[in-house]
Amino acid sequence: MTLADLQANAKEHGFTHHFMCERDGVRSDGTGHLYAADELRLVHSNSTDHGTDPGDDATLFMIEAKDGTKGIMIVADSFHTDPHKARIIDQLRRNRANS
């Protein structure tokens, strides 16, 4: 699957917003609300791996906020990952494992 396919699939499942990392949390493009990591739940993730160029690899994370806002966050391959995104995703994964 391509990243576009993954985005279309997420949208079909109600994950219509985009979550963007900021210094103090994660902001939704739809509501403008700034969420702390403990207000978010990692629902599912899918990765693309085309095998030829690691720069084309990415993971799409489907995230739901406690207020019901559903959105995605796309994280580039490990060589190009934004450290803020990596920290948030690591925290969401830990929260998921502990629940």
Side-chain angles (χ1 to χ4, degrees), residues 23-35:
R23 181 180 309 265
D24 298 324
V26 177
R27 188 168 308 277
S28 167
D29 68 341
T31 65
H33 185 83
L34 183 67
Y35 299 96

Side-chain angles (χ1 to χ4, degrees), residues 6-19 28-31 41 43 60-65 67-72:
L6 295 177
Q7 287 178 289
N9 180 56
K11 190 172 184 175
E12 287 176 17
H13 287 90
F15 293 84
T16 57
H17 297 287
H18 290 266
F19 288 113
S28 167
D29 68 341
T31 65
R41 179 176 69 93
V43 176
L60 181 140
F61 294 91
M62 291 184 230
I63 300 169
E64 183 174 8
D67 66 6
T69 302
K70 292 182 176 182
I72 62 170

